[in-house]
Amino acid sequence: MRTIQPGQRLVYRFRADRAGAWLYHCSAAPMLQHMGNGMYGAVVIDPPGLKKVDHEYVLVSSELYLGTPGNTAQVDAWFPPERRGLAIGIFGAGMGGTAISALTTVKLVKAHSMSTPFLITVVVLGVYALIAAVLLRDAPGRTVPTEPLARRLGATLQLGITWQASVLYAVAFGGYVAFSVYLPTYLKTGYGLTQADAANRMAGFVLLAVAMRPVGGWLSDRLGPVRVLAAALSVVVAGAVVQSFTPDLAPVGTIAFLAMAAALGAGSGATFALVALRTPAGKVGSVTGVVGAAGGLGGFLPPLAMGSLYGEYGTYAAGLALLAVVAAAALVYTLTGVRAATEGSERNIVYRSRDTQLGARPPRCGWERVG
């Protein structure tokens, strides 16, 4: 690898021993910024013996991560402390788009064409962009960070809550993402379901998880996020252990999966309620970004592990047992390190209502966090 100056070219040759789609990208720092600006592409190696076609199309998607919708940076400014868990949970329920996609994409393609789902998505995003431009406003009193990005990110990574919430969100939200991706394959392979039946069951799993995310936030407002996380992770451990024995899908298998769906959704909501409780003012946006990225990474690894273990042993039992072990480790961590840090944080938080007589001007949202 060498640096290419503006206007120069580099011809890179390699031997393609395996067929598939490969990604090439700029490796110069800051790599993520370059990739976010589109400096990457796809190389498609056709398998041998593939029939010739008139045209080939390569779709390369891109996204710029701006933080989790309804993250704590947005919620803290608009909602009083005792309602932030519920608010984050409601905003985070937007992940239900996965279920909508699973239920409609295949049907739209069969009824119309391959481009139909994408065209509908473009229209929906365009309509939302117009609505957002007209109606959305920054919270009153919003301050724009002035420190360089690297310094802010470094300060974020030094916070204990960043790593604690990242671990928990990688398990809770990562588990949800993993099941939403891999559950149809699991149901088809393990139980012989059709593609349509497996997709419908996956959609049910996702919808329940989405519905439970606000519930997890609401419960965290009343019981505390640590208790909710502990209960959710306990259910995941139990459900994974039961499902590792591959019971009949009706009713035991269905109950196990739905219980895990509810627990993973509630756990995701509780994790961001924990972030709202523990993160210092001015750092919530950065912490939310790191935690959200950890959740995405947590959803990327389990399908790979499940497929690899199934190829090695011919059963999904080992993969589900591994999920139980990971959830159990997260449960122990929640009840020890996370609980101790959270209890110390709660003792230093005092909430003052707007009608308090302290002689100071109250904040615009009606509540103020001090200490």
Side-chain angles (χ1 to χ4, degrees):
M1 183 178 67
R2 66 180 177 84
T3 301
I4 304 174
Q5 298 300 326
Q8 291 184 336
R9 298 177 62 186
L10 173 66
V11 178
Y12 183 79
R13 293 181 174 89
F14 66 99
R15 180 181 178 85
D17 294 320
R18 297 182 180 181
W22 306 84
L23 174 72
Y24 65 88
H25 60 84
C26 174
S27 297
M31 185 175 66
L32 292 180
Q33 181 176 343
H34 292 316
M35 294 180 68
N37 289 327
M39 298 180 65
Y40 64 93
V43 176
V44 179
I45 308 301
D46 292 335
L50 187 68
K51 294 181 179 180
K52 292 185 177 180
V53 295
D54 294 332
H55 299 84
E56 288 187 356
Y57 299 94
V58 178
L59 176 65
V60 180
S61 63
S62 176
E63 67 178 27
L64 179 61
Y65 188 76
L66 299 176
T68 305
N71 61 43
T72 51
Q74 299 160 338
V75 169
D76 278 5
W78 287 105
F79 294 89
E82 80 282 0
R83 294 173 55 194
R84 289 174 185 164
L86 176 60
I88 294 172
I90 292 174
F91 294 145
M95 65 186 190
T98 306
I100 297 175
S101 174
L103 290 172
T104 60
T105 301
V106 175
K107 295 178 181 178
L108 287 171
V109 170
K110 289 183 176 180
H112 301 282
S113 67
M114 180 67 74
S115 62
T116 301
F118 300 100
L119 294 175
I120 293 176
T121 301
V122 169
V123 172
V124 172
L125 289 176
V127 172
Y128 174 76
L130 292 175
I131 295 175
V134 173
L135 298 180
L136 291 187
R137 295 290 182 271
D138 289 328
R142 174 180 177 268
T143 57
V144 179
T146 58
E147 292 182 323
L149 176 61
R151 184 179 300 175
R152 283 186 286 134
L153 182 58
T156 298
L157 296 178
Q158 294 177 7
L159 297 174
I161 181 58
T162 302
W163 298 103
Q164 292 171 1
S166 293
V167 169
L168 297 175
Y169 202 58
V171 177
F173 184 73
Y176 156 80
V177 173
F179 275 121
S180 67
V181 171
Y182 203 74
L183 188 56
T185 300
Y186 173 85
L187 293 175
K188 289 190 296 181
T189 305
Y191 291 97
L193 300 185
T194 64
Q195 175 67 37
D197 192 8
N200 289 335
R201 291 174 185 267
M202 184 276 287
F205 180 98
V206 170
L207 288 174
L208 179 58
V210 168
M212 287 301 297
R213 183 158 181 157
V215 174
W218 178 78
L219 289 173
S220 297
D221 289 337
R222 283 147 181 79
L223 304 177
V226 171
R227 292 181 179 178
V228 177
L229 279 165
L233 291 170
S234 299
V235 173
V236 174
V237 172
V241 169
V242 170
Q243 194 58 38
S244 67
F245 292 97
T246 318
D248 292 338
L249 193 56
V252 179
T254 300
I255 294 174
F257 275 119
L258 292 180
M260 285 191 288
L264 292 171
S268 297
T271 301
F272 272 100
L274 180 68
V275 172
L277 176 67
R278 294 268 310 280
T279 305
K283 296 288 192 301
V284 287
S286 300
V287 172
T288 298
V290 174
V291 174
L297 181 62
F300 172 74
L301 297 177
L304 299 179
M306 291 286 284
S308 177
L309 291 171
Y310 182 82
E312 182 71 22
Y313 301 107
T315 176
Y316 290 112
L320 288 162
L322 181 60
L323 171 61
V325 171
V326 172
L331 173 60
V332 173
Y333 183 53
T334 299
L335 294 175
T336 54
V338 177
R339 168 179 282 177
T342 303
E343 288 177 348
S345 175
E346 288 175 340
R347 284 194 295 267
N348 294 326
I349 295 178
V350 178
Y351 299 118
R352 302 189 309 200
S353 63
R354 182 184 292 273
D355 59 2
T356 184
Q357 301 297 325
L358 295 178
R361 181 179 179 181
R364 296 186 183 181
C365 63
W367 295 82
E368 180 180 1
R369 175 174 174 169
V370 294

